[in-house]
Amino acid sequence: MEVIETVDRMQQSAEYLRSAGNTIAVVPTMGFLHEGHLELMRVGKIHADTLVITIFVNPTQFGPGEDYEQYPRDPEGDLKAAESVGVYVVFMPAAGEMYTDMHQTRVTVERLPNHLCGLSRPGHFDGVTTVVAKLFHITKPHLAIFGQKDYQQLAVISRMVMDLNMDIKIIGVPTVREPDGLAMSSRNKYLSDDERASALCLKKSLDAAQELMDAGETESRVISSRLEALINSHPFTEIDYIELCDPVTLDHADRLEEETLLALAVRVGQTRLIDNCVLRRAE
Ligand code: AMP
């Protein structure tokens, strides 16, 4: 496994791999790797000859007062984990390597960010699309793997790839969970034991919503208010949003359709957690 820190070297390596006839899969991450990240890597390996991962805590996707400085980092542990799943190249640049003092370009997707996390994190998705576009130009992948845990991110990146005619296949991987249902996340490290117990309210909400739908509920606001009560019954929680929406446009849905995205963002103590599922009407 090769660890590359410069853009030039990564581009040369990707070019070499391509010219030797290899297909490249990339898994962009912010590091502090967990089983969810490793699952993306395994999927990448199935679909391509060589797997490149990127580890970069991208400053431009964090807003003022967010956790850029505190974001957990463990480069040594990450390299061991990457090696264990057969990663070929790890691209691990410093912030100054990705954003020089002269940097002044931003990639913006117009409408999809005006929903869900985009409303509470202004500018976040511009940061994401800009860095992912850069990482695509640097690692030159044939395909790229993202987690459905960050549903809106996957939607925004898929849109960017289509709109800018990038010749890259995007693959979404279902959310990997702890045995008790908590979605794996690098930010789970911030949770105290009591907060960790309360954080289960996210997955409980997803399950409760599907049960309500199975029992015939069709009104989004009924589901939202039931979930609001459920989440509020857990200590340390503060709801950012509970949203039922169209899985493609992310526009709010008043009524449940065949498929409706349920997306949640809940602060548990100081930690903002997200989760989602697509609710489906039973056959
Ligand atoms: P991050 O390091 O949080 O930026 O995540 C890097 C990639 O891993 C993104 O595509 C995430 O959606 C994905 N990811 C994070 N957590 C999970 C999870 N629990 N299951 C599946 N994918 C995940």
Side-chain angles (χ1 to χ4, degrees):
M1 186 175 80
E2 190 181 2
V3 180
I4 296 180
E5 295 183 355
T6 67
V7 170
D8 279 354
R9 178 81 195 91
M10 185 65 241
Q11 284 178 322
Q12 281 163 14
S13 181
E15 199 51 51
Y16 173 78
L17 287 168
R18 275 187 165 250
S19 60
N22 294 291
T23 51
I24 302 174
V26 70
V27 176
T29 81
M30 297 206 297
F32 207 70
L33 301 178
H34 52 65
E35 201 43 48
H37 295 117
L38 301 188
E39 182 61 18
L40 267 53
M41 295 174 203
R42 290 186 196 107
V43 171
K45 279 193 67 105
I46 292 169
H47 287 88
D49 301 320
T50 47
L51 176 61
V52 175
I53 71 162
T54 69
I55 299 179
F56 180 59
V57 184
N58 173 38
T60 67
Q61 71 189 70
F62 289 79
E66 290 189 349
D67 57 345
Y68 174 66
E69 301 293 344
Q70 304 84 28
Y71 196 84
R73 290 161 170 90
D74 178 16
E76 270 180 33
D78 287 350
L79 293 182
K80 278 195 197 122
E83 189 130 47
S84 78
V85 293
V87 170
Y88 193 72
V89 176
V90 180
F91 178 55
M92 213 159 70
E97 179 71 12
M98 290 293 281
Y99 299 105
T100 67
D101 292 343
M102 286 300 288
H103 188 98
Q104 45 193 298
T105 302
R106 214 167 20 173
V107 179
T108 300
V109 171
E110 295 281 353
R111 289 192 298 279
L112 285 171
N114 300 335
H115 301 274
L116 308 175
C117 290
L119 299 177
S120 23
R121 306 187 69 189
H124 168 69
F125 286 108
D126 276 5
V128 169
T129 40
T130 302
V131 81
V132 170
K134 284 166 70 66
L135 291 170
F136 284 173
H137 287 299
I138 296 166
T139 61
K140 306 178 192 273
H142 297 81
L143 51 114
I145 326 290
F146 293 88
Q148 290 169 4
K149 164 157 181 291
D150 298 275
Y151 188 101
Q152 188 176 17
Q153 170 172 281
L154 175 58
V156 168
I157 289 167
S158 301
R159 190 70 255 156
M160 171 187 78
V161 164
M162 284 185 271
D163 290 352
L164 298 182
N165 307 102
M166 294 176 170
D167 191 11
I168 300 170
K169 182 174 178 196
I170 303 296
I171 298 180
V173 174
T175 301
V176 178
R177 299 178 180 281
E178 301 285 357
D180 62 5
L182 181 68
M184 290 193 181
S185 164
S186 306
R187 290 191 168 99
N188 291 349
K189 176 189 160 57
Y190 298 143
L191 300 168
S192 69
D193 289 350
D194 289 345
E195 289 167 349
R196 170 74 180 67
S198 271
L200 289 179
C201 69
L202 283 97
K203 176 64 163 81
K204 285 187 203 162
S205 296
L206 303 182
D207 294 343
Q210 185 64 60
E211 280 170 25
L212 286 166
M213 190 175 185
D214 292 346
E217 186 53 64
T218 57
E219 295 280 328
S220 292
R221 60 184 170 74
V222 173
I223 297 207
S224 294
S225 65
R226 292 285 285 274
L227 301 189
E228 192 179 332
L230 190 157
I231 294 168
N232 285 336
S233 73
H234 291 71
F236 318 112
T237 59
E238 187 192 329
I239 296 167
D240 180 354
Y241 63 76
I242 300 170
E243 180 61 356
L244 289 136
C245 57
D246 181 285
V248 176
T249 63
L250 306 184
D251 290 337
H252 175 73
D254 287 334
R255 297 178 68 78
L256 300 185
E257 305 295 338
E258 289 291 303
E259 293 197 339
T260 306
L261 174 70
L262 167 61
L264 307 171
V266 178
R267 207 168 273 284
V268 182
Q270 297 297 305
T271 309
R272 186 174 175 283
L273 300 177
I274 57 172
D275 208 338
N276 71 80
C277 67
V278 176
L279 300 174
R280 293 191 168 85
R281 189 165 295 149
E283 301 277 299

